Amino acid sequence: GDAPQLQIEAVELMLDRAACVPSAQTAEDYARAEKMASGLLQHPAFAMAAARCVLQARLGQSSGTIDPDVCNRLEALAGNDVRSRWLLAQAALRNGSPREACGHCEAAARSGVRLDQAMVQLWDQASRKWSATLHGQKDAAWLVNKQSLRSAG
C-alpha cells in the first residue's frame, strides 16, 4: 500500500515543523521523526528518504557530532541527490571533515540542479576550513573542488 509513502511524508512534515518552529517539544519531534523514519530503512523504495530523514533528525537534535553509521547509510544510497548531499555536507562539516563536506557539495553540483544559496555558502565555508588544514600547500583536490565551487556559485 501507500502507508510507507504517507509515513515518509509525515516524517518530513514533522522535521520541517521542528526546524521552523522551535518549541519545548522540538527535541521530542525530532526523536519521534527519527523513530518513524528508522522503521523504513529496510524498505527498498523508501530507504533513501528514510535515511535522509534520520540524518536530518540527528542534525536537528543536537549540535554534537553525528554517528558515522547514519551518514554512511545515506551516502551509500545518495548518488547525486541534492537533498541527501546537503545533509551529508552539514554532518561532515559538523564532524570536522571539511574535505568530505566539499566532496558532498561537489556531488550535488554534478546532479545538474542549481544549488541554492545556503548550499553554496556551506560549500564555501567548508572550502575555507579545508584550505586552512593545508597550511599553504597547493592541494590538487582542493583546487579542483574550488573550481567546481566557483562554477556552482
Side-chain angles (χ1 to χ4, degrees):
D2 61 355
Q5 175 69 42
L6 293 175
Q7 281 180 285
I8 286 293
E9 287 174 14
V11 169
E12 288 174 343
L13 285 171
M14 232 184 280
L15 290 167
D16 287 347
R17 187 183 71 189
C20 295
V21 190
S23 70
Q25 70 180 56
T26 299
E28 211 175 280
D29 286 346
Y30 279 124
R32 194 165 55 246
E34 180 179 347
K35 189 169 190 236
M36 278 177 71
S38 294
L40 293 169
L41 288 170
Q42 304 309 316
H43 194 291
F46 296 100
M48 182 169 75
R52 197 169 45 220
C53 289
V54 168
L55 179 53
Q56 189 175 346
R58 290 282 178 95
L59 284 164
Q61 282 179 71
S62 85
S63 56
T65 58
I66 304 296
D67 179 354
D69 290 345
V70 173
C71 298
N72 294 340
R73 184 183 304 122
L74 179 55
E75 190 171 359
L77 303 165
N80 291 339
D81 179 69
V82 175
R83 286 174 61 201
S84 297
R85 292 295 176 173
W86 159 247
L87 293 167
L88 287 163
Q90 289 179 62
L93 200 54
R94 186 179 293 179
N95 287 354
S97 304
R99 180 180 184 150
E100 193 181 320
C102 286
H104 290 303
C105 293
E106 197 169 356
R110 280 196 300 270
S111 73
V113 174
R114 181 153 172 73
L115 303 184
D116 66 16
Q117 196 56 42
M119 185 146 192
V120 173
Q121 286 172 345
L122 179 82
W123 191 354
D124 185 59
Q125 180 187 0
S127 180
R128 279 183 278 133
K129 286 189 174 182
W130 180 8
S131 174
T133 68
L134 300 174
H135 308 294
Q137 301 295 312
K138 289 288 180 233
D139 181 276
W142 180 80
L143 291 168
V144 168
N145 190 272
K146 183 78 175 160
Q147 188 58 49
S148 299
L149 169 56
R150 277 198 201 103
S151 301

